[in-house]
């Protein structure tokens, strides 16, 4: 069953284009692009340069490897010989040099981390950053008004499938870090339709095409986070979301909203942390067969 929210990462084409019933004007679209560029520039200025972040990562890894290696070796040899003799042997084998290098790398990594945090907080607290945030929110709200999105519409993350076509024309995953990318939509019901809206388009799905929604107890991986609260904050802690070293997030369980459109089965994948929202619009079956 294909994901209804599929996006070609090379062309930007969406698989749901035929269900778009309204789009913002070109002027509004340009305003949105401009506000997003300004936001990206501010976020970029809040981070250390890439080369310093690479140094921070390498120093941190080096410190962990060296210091943990020395401590592990010492721990394995405690009790087998007098500590003084063991220490002299380790010193003769260059353990002191490893400890010094590991300590220096650890200090550099900590210093760069602290510098990065100070820089981030300084930019976020600046009037310029707040002005960019306010401008982005105003542009987004203007887009929703133009699309006819009700003011009481809910926000919901949808796990979209970014794809690219291989030489044979078959869809392949277009994100190198995870299978899905979360995109935040406005969701609401009106007349005989279930609507999803981003800042560019309003998508209408006939309610008659919505067959059911089922809980699927499988782990899914996605890249990106749209919420104000962090994924490991108390609000999302019950969902046990994990992250790997590449920034991909993992959550066990999702909700599959099953559709029948043009005699073809499709699904909308909702992460489990949005279950309270989707339940307002589609009854969810949590029975695992």
């Amino acid at each position: 069953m294909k994901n209804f929210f599929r996006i070609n990462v090379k062309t930007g084409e969406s698989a749901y284009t035929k269900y778009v019933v309204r789009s913002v004007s070109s002027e509004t679209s340009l305003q949105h692009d401009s506000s997003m560029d300004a936001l990206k520039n501010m976020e970029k200025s809040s981070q250390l340069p890439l080369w310093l972040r690479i140094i921070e990562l390498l120093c941190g890894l080096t410190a962990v490897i060296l210091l943990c290696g020395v401590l592990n070796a010492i721990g394995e040899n405690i009790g087998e010989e007098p500590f003084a003799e063991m220490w002299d042997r380790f010193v003769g084998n260059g353990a002191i040099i490893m400890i010094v290098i590991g300590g220096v790398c650890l200090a550099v990594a900590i210093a760069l981390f602290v510098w990065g945090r100070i820089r981030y907080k300084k930019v976020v607290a600046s009037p310029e950053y707040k002005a960019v945030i306010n401008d982005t929110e105003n542009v987004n709200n203007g887009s929703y008004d133009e699309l006819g999105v009700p003011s009481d519409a809910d926000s919901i993350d949808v796990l979209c499938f970014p794809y690219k076509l291989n030489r044979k024309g078959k869809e392949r995953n277009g994100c190198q870090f995870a299978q899905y990318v979360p995109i935040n939509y406005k969701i609401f019901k009106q007349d005989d339709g279930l609507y999803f809206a981003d800042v560019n388009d309003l998508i209408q799905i006939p309610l008659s095409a919505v067959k059911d929604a089922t809980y699927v107890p499988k782990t899914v991986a996605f890249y990106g986070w749209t919420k104000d609260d962090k994924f490991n904050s108390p609000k999302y802690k019950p969902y046990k979301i994990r992250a790997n070293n590449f920034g991909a997030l993992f959550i066990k369980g999702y909700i599959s909203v099953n559709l029948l459109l043009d005699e073809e089965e499709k699904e909308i994948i909702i992460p489990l942390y949005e279950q309270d929202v989707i339940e307002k619009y589609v009854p969810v079956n949590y029975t695992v067969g």
Side-chain angles (χ1 to χ4, degrees):
M1 193 159 36
K2 287 189 174 182
N3 192 326
F4 177 76
F5 287 97
R6 305 192 317 282
I7 301 173
N8 189 315
V9 295
K10 290 189 175 181
T11 65
E13 295 180 55
S14 304
Y16 54 78
T17 300
K18 66 179 297 184
Y19 301 100
V20 173
V21 293
R22 195 176 301 142
S23 299
V24 297
S25 65
S26 58
E27 180 181 355
T28 301
S29 181
L30 288 174
Q31 289 177 351
H32 178 259
D33 291 342
S34 178
S35 67
M36 290 305 297
D37 287 341
L39 183 59
K40 288 178 181 177
N41 289 334
M42 291 299 296
E43 290 177 345
K44 184 177 180 180
S45 67
S46 71
Q47 299 177 338
L48 293 176
L50 179 59
W51 66 274
L52 283 178
R53 282 180 279 151
I54 293 175
I55 290 176
E56 177 188 346
L57 177 62
L58 292 177
C59 285
L61 290 174
T62 301
V64 170
I65 292 172
L66 292 179
L67 295 179
C68 288
V70 171
L71 291 175
N72 184 59
I74 292 175
E76 290 179 350
N77 287 273
I78 288 179
E80 295 185 1
E81 58 184 317
F83 183 81
E85 293 181 10
M86 180 189 68
W87 182 250
D88 289 339
R89 180 166 58 82
F90 270 86
V91 170
N93 291 335
I96 289 295
I97 296 177
M98 295 175 63
I99 292 174
V100 171
I101 295 175
V104 170
C105 288
L106 180 62
V108 171
I110 292 174
L112 289 174
F113 174 79
V114 172
W115 184 15
R117 293 302 300 169
I118 293 174
R119 180 169 177 162
Y120 172 80
K121 291 180 179 180
K122 183 178 180 180
V123 171
V124 170
S126 68
E128 294 81 7
Y129 183 83
K130 293 178 180 179
V132 169
I133 291 295
N134 289 334
D135 181 62
T136 301
E137 290 179 353
N138 290 334
V139 171
N140 288 348
N141 290 334
S143 297
Y144 293 136
D145 290 340
E146 190 173 330
L147 292 172
V149 177
S151 58
D152 60 349
D154 289 301
S155 292
I156 188 170
D157 276 1
V158 174
L159 296 185
C160 302
F161 177 63
Y163 73 91
K164 55 185 176 182
L165 299 178
N166 62 16
R167 293 180 179 179
K168 295 182 179 180
K170 293 185 178 181
E171 295 180 1
R172 291 291 182 264
N173 196 347
C175 178
Q176 60 180 323
F177 300 110
Q179 184 177 9
Y180 300 109
V181 173
I183 296 181
N184 192 259
Y185 288 91
K186 293 291 187 179
I187 182 175
F188 63 96
K189 272 184 182 179
Q190 200 171 76
D191 299 328
D192 60 347
L194 178 65
Y195 292 84
F196 291 85
D198 58 19
V199 294
N200 293 304
D201 300 310
L202 179 66
I203 304 160
Q204 181 193 45
I205 299 173
L207 287 176
S208 59
V210 181
K211 295 308 176 184
D212 55 42
T214 307
Y215 166 69
V216 181
K218 294 182 179 179
T219 298
V220 289
F222 55 97
Y223 187 77
W225 184 251
T226 72
K227 305 298 185 181
D228 293 331
D229 296 297
K230 294 182 178 180
F231 72 90
N232 55 359
S233 66
K235 181 176 181 179
Y236 297 103
K237 189 175 182 180
Y239 300 101
K240 299 179 181 179
I241 303 171
R242 299 177 291 105
N244 65 14
N245 294 331
F246 299 100
L249 301 176
F250 300 83
I251 183 172
K252 184 175 182 180
Y254 62 88
I255 295 168
S256 173
V257 180
N258 301 309
L259 311 174
L260 183 61
L261 293 165
D262 299 324
E263 299 184 353
E264 185 178 358
E265 291 186 342
K266 301 179 186 295
E267 67 175 339
I268 299 173
I269 298 179
I270 307 295
L272 195 57
Y273 58 80
E274 297 285 28
Q275 62 186 122
D276 291 342
V277 179
I278 194 62
E279 285 174 356
K280 295 181 182 180
Y281 301 92
V282 185
V284 179
N285 178 18
Y286 288 96
T287 302
V288 180

